[in-house]
Amino acid sequence: MYFATFEEELDYFLNYTLQEDIGSGDHSSLACISSDAVGTSKLLVKEPCVLAGLEVVEAIFKKLDPNTRIHFYKVDGAACEVGEIAFEVKARIHALLSGERLMLNILQRMSGIATRTRRLADMISHTRCRLLDTRKTTPGMRFLEKRAVAIGGGYNHRFGLYDMIMLKDNHIDFAGGIEKAIKKTHQYLAEKNLSLKIEVECRNLPEVEQVLTVGGVDRIMFDNFSPSMIVKALQLVKGAFETEASGGITEQNIVEYAETGVDFISMGALTHSVKSIDLSFKAE
């Protein structure tokens, strides 16, 4: 399904996820609290973080109670310390309780991604290298996880298989080599009247040389290259195409990779194995 805006996708996502959690009814709340009772809850930060996902918070509670009022003390991308209150929500108590878990699940994960991204982006900020995410995301939550990367100071790579051509090792092997893969891609784009950027993944220096010979691409990815190999590859490319390093890059070696002069570093770890931030939603 195609969504024209972030708001459309968020609404679709929340309809499903709220139904997943509430089902036939939040019977715990229905059993002991009046349906018209109004209350206030606050979001307490329990570990240092970069906050991300506040627009989702507002959307959740306003979907459950259109009369919800939220006072934000923080904004997306703000650094938070232990004990700070990020926001207060006044709404029907049923809405506060029914939306609490979904809100925390999303806010904790998005903030975890933004926090890690900010830390890594700051580490390489003295270079011109930009930090990219990947498609290694939670199914159904990619649009939120990639938004968290951007909030944290990173950049979004392609969102899916539809918005960029990436010729990876398997594409190249199935197509019969780099030259055939690139030429077939140009033919396909012309036939379909599509304008998409083309990136080619290279496993070694000879493959980089093949791409340079064929040409007709926008970016070369150096897959699992060491920093010293990337330096050699960049000497071959000579700025003719954008360059990207991916694979085997960690917090321990990211600075060394960025200092090679490569244009981009992509890291699946920004989203696929991030730790959620400890946050708490408490009634006042």
Side-chain angles (χ1 to χ4, degrees):
M1 183 177 293
Y2 173 76
F3 300 97
T5 65
F6 171 82
E7 289 74 21
E8 285 183 10
E9 188 165 7
L10 179 60
D11 187 66
Y12 179 87
F13 173 79
L14 293 183
N15 285 337
Y16 169 77
T17 51
L18 284 168
Q19 177 61 35
E20 176 186 51
D21 205 25
I22 297 172
S24 62
D26 175 6
H27 298 300
S28 302
S29 300
L30 291 167
C32 63
I33 299 171
S34 172
S35 62
D36 59 359
V38 174
T40 301
S41 293
K42 61 184 179 181
L43 194 287
L44 182 64
V45 177
K46 300 179 72 175
E47 66 176 300
C49 68
V50 172
L51 206 61
L54 295 182
E55 60 195 320
V56 183
V57 172
E58 185 168 15
I60 289 171
F61 288 118
K62 287 196 172 180
K63 183 173 282 289
L64 293 168
D65 178 3
N67 294 318
T68 291
R69 288 187 295 172
I70 305 181
H71 183 81
F72 290 106
Y73 298 102
K74 296 288 185 178
V75 297
D76 275 335
C80 297
E81 298 298 330
V82 175
E84 289 191 290
I85 297 173
F87 57 82
E88 291 183 342
V89 185
K90 184 175 183 180
R92 287 189 306 107
I93 294 174
H94 282 196
L96 294 174
L97 295 172
S98 297
E100 174 183 355
R101 178 43 52 197
L102 177 61
M103 178 275 294
L104 283 172
N105 286 347
I106 294 172
L107 190 64
Q108 288 175 306
R109 180 154 184 81
M110 288 185 69
S111 296
I113 291 169
T115 301
R116 174 177 286 181
T117 302
R118 177 70 56 79
R119 182 171 65 251
L120 294 171
D122 284 349
M123 290 175 65
I124 62 172
S125 62
H126 63 290
T127 74
R128 63 182 183 85
C129 183
R130 285 173 282 177
L131 183 61
L132 301 176
D133 53 26
T134 71
R135 287 169 50 239
K136 296 177 181 178
T137 55
T138 306
M141 285 191 66
R142 179 175 297 170
F143 76 115
L144 295 177
E145 294 181 347
K146 281 182 169 284
R147 199 170 188 87
V149 167
I151 289 170
Y155 295 83
N156 296 144
H157 209 310
R158 59 177 181 163
F159 268 74
L161 299 172
Y162 56 87
D163 59 340
M164 183 178 182
I165 297 285
M166 183 180 288
L167 302 176
K168 298 175 70 67
D169 52 357
N170 285 336
H171 296 94
I172 291 166
D173 291 342
F174 280 130
I178 285 175
E179 183 175 359
K180 289 183 179 179
I182 294 174
K183 289 184 176 180
K184 287 179 179 178
T185 295
H186 279 283
Q187 182 180 355
Y188 171 83
L189 292 176
E191 290 173 352
K192 300 297 183 181
N193 194 29
L194 292 172
S195 179
L196 296 173
K197 286 191 172 184
I198 301 172
E199 179 169 5
V200 180
E201 178 183 277
C202 293
R203 292 164 283 194
N204 49 54
L205 292 175
E207 287 192 347
V208 173
E209 292 175 332
Q210 288 180 55
V211 174
L212 293 172
T213 298
V214 178
V217 305
D218 297 281
R219 186 183 303 172
I220 300 176
M221 176 192 285
F222 307 132
D223 184 44
N224 284 299
F225 279 36
S226 66
S228 60
M229 285 180 63
I230 288 178
V231 171
K232 293 178 181 178
L234 292 174
Q235 291 171 348
L236 294 173
V237 176
K238 296 178 181 177
F241 306 111
E242 292 181 339
T243 55
E244 176 183 336
S246 187
I249 301 172
T250 67
E251 188 168 339
Q252 287 68 44
N253 62 25
I254 188 172
V255 172
E256 186 179 4
Y257 273 94
E259 289 178 346
T260 62
V262 70
D263 295 313
F264 301 97
I265 286 175
S266 56
M267 293 182 66
L270 292 182
T271 54
H272 70 57
S273 58
V274 72
K275 174 187 174 294
S276 292
I277 296 298
D278 191 5
L279 304 169
S280 181
F281 196 53
K282 293 299 183 182
E284 287 191 344

